[in-house]
Amino acid sequence: MSTNTHSIAHAPAEPPTKSAVRVSRYDLRPVYEPLIFLVVASLAYLMMPANGQYILSISIIYALLATSLGVLFGWSGIYSFGHAAFFGMGAYTTALLKAEAWGPLAFLAVSAVIAGTAALIIGLLGQRLAKVEFAMLTMIVGQIAYLLTFRIPALQGDNGIFGIPRGSFFGTNITPPSSFWWYSVILVAVVMAILRRIHLSAFGESLNAIRDDPIKAAAIGIPVRSMRLAAFTLAGAVAGLAGGLFAQQGGIVTPSSLAFTFSGQIIIMALLGGMMKFWGPAIGAILFQFINALVFGGSSHGTLYLGIILLAVVLVFPSGVLGVLAALRGVLKKMRSRR
């Protein structure tokens, strides 16, 4: 996550760019997209059959997870090949606390804190590493976390931890699928709203500046290392929260939630929707889950076929689904202006 600032330590600061000047105008900008997400997802859930409802209930959790990766790749330019580690840490934290008489939100809060703390420690260890080196560090940490599930008796190895209760939320039993849907979709929408507000704030704009040119960002006074560390911690905490929610949804946690292959799937989800757009990773995650379940769910080689198709899509349309839609909208505007 490091950047070489020695050559500019005594250089005169450049005047702020237009993007830096307009940061303050976004501070009080209202955020409506999460409300739209909540309404559209809920309407889709009500109109779907039972199997579609189940897929969608998992998809929105993965949407939150993919958005947390977008904080790194899309907002900050930080590469991470072991993001599933934080998701798994959150899931296992909720699983290990299943016997406690706490509410479901308390489990998620602890899961987010544990995963965020782990991300903070890893970020501190890798502050002086370059992008690819830091990505390799995250992959190694992810593999260590995966192997620990087989070495620590309390984590139960391949069997995983099962019997995770959903509990009650403000006196309402969220064990039934429909009740848990409203609990999870509202929670995801609230967290997405917070992330969107952060994305539109001065903090988010500073991360974008670091992503585009860390040397210039340091020259205009942005603390590059501390901002990247904060972004990595935030992404880890959100991934841990998504992991805890996933444990509550399925009632079981296995080592697959920490596997390196799952980290690759998260990257594919984000790329499919469009890494550079805030809602791109979330849309990509939902599309990924439905394509995988409905098209290739019955095939023994479904994951391989899906990976090949998505790789082709990413190579042809590197900006993802939202990028393609934005390009089409630009073409239509040009056609209208010519007419």
Side-chain angles (χ1 to χ4, degrees):
M1 291 196 297
S2 66
T3 181
N4 185 11
T5 58
H6 296 293
S7 60
I8 60 171
H10 302 289
E14 296 182 9
T17 61
K18 290 183 179 180
S19 62
V21 171
R22 65 182 177 167
V23 166
S24 60
R25 287 192 284 170
Y26 287 125
D27 290 345
L28 299 177
R29 179 172 164 180
V31 175
Y32 301 112
E33 298 101 320
L35 180 60
I36 297 173
F37 166 81
L38 175 62
V39 173
V40 172
S42 299
L43 290 175
Y45 180 84
L46 294 174
M47 293 186 294
M48 285 181 176
N51 64 328
Q53 291 178 342
Y54 175 75
I55 298 170
L56 185 59
S57 65
I58 296 176
S59 298
I60 61 167
I61 299 174
Y62 284 151
L64 182 61
L65 172 62
T67 302
S68 71
L69 183 66
V71 174
L72 302 180
F73 279 73
W75 300 16
S76 319
I78 300 173
Y79 299 156
S80 175
F81 296 157
H83 201 60
F86 305 115
F87 179 81
M89 288 178 192
Y92 270 96
T93 298
T94 295
L96 291 172
L97 295 174
K98 66 177 183 177
E100 301 294 334
W102 301 350
L105 287 184
F107 292 141
L108 298 184
V110 176
S111 296
V113 169
I114 294 297
T117 302
L120 175 63
I121 295 172
I122 296 169
L124 288 172
L125 293 175
Q127 269 194 319
R128 297 183 179 276
L129 298 179
K131 285 185 175 181
V132 177
E133 294 170 344
F134 182 77
M136 296 303 293
L137 172 65
T138 61
M139 183 178 70
I140 293 170
V141 171
Q143 283 297 100
I144 293 173
Y146 173 76
L147 293 174
L148 285 177
T149 60
F150 300 95
R151 302 297 181 184
I152 300 176
L155 301 183
Q156 302 296 319
D158 275 328
N159 295 327
I161 302 175
F162 55 89
I164 303 169
R166 293 178 178 178
S168 60
F169 181 65
F170 288 106
T172 302
N173 183 14
I174 58 174
T175 300
S178 58
S179 299
F180 188 80
W181 161 259
W182 293 111
Y183 159 76
S184 58
V185 74
I186 292 173
L187 178 63
V188 169
V190 169
V191 177
M192 293 291 280
I194 295 172
L195 290 176
R196 184 56 169 159
R197 167 56 52 216
I198 295 173
H199 184 244
L200 295 174
S201 69
F203 177 78
E205 288 288 314
S206 298
L207 289 178
N208 293 161
I210 293 171
R211 176 201 63 201
D212 295 337
D213 195 328
I215 295 179
K216 282 188 176 181
I220 63 175
I222 297 176
V224 175
R225 286 183 179 174
S226 59
M227 292 289 286
R228 281 177 166 171
L229 181 61
F232 194 72
T233 304
L234 173 64
V238 175
L241 189 149
L245 189 60
F246 179 78
Q248 292 176 346
Q249 196 277 338
I252 185 172
V253 177
T254 62
S256 61
S257 61
L258 293 138
F260 172 70
T261 52
F262 185 52
S263 291
Q265 287 184 4
I266 302 170
I267 295 174
I268 292 175
M269 292 177 198
L271 289 174
L272 177 62
M275 191 75 79
M276 304 306 292
K277 304 288 186 180
F278 176 83
W279 288 99
I283 292 175
I286 295 173
L287 289 175
F288 180 93
Q289 292 304 314
F290 273 93
I291 293 172
N292 189 33
L294 299 180
V295 180
F296 299 111
S299 173
S300 58
H301 302 290
T303 304
L304 174 62
Y305 299 148
L306 179 63
I308 293 173
I309 293 173
L310 293 180
L311 177 61
V313 171
V314 169
L315 291 176
V316 177
F317 306 110
S319 57
V321 172
L322 291 189
V324 172
L325 293 178
L328 290 175
R329 184 174 59 183
V331 171
L332 292 175
K333 284 184 178 180
K334 288 182 180 180
M335 293 175 62
R336 291 177 182 175
S337 62
R338 289 176 182 176
R339 292 179 181 177

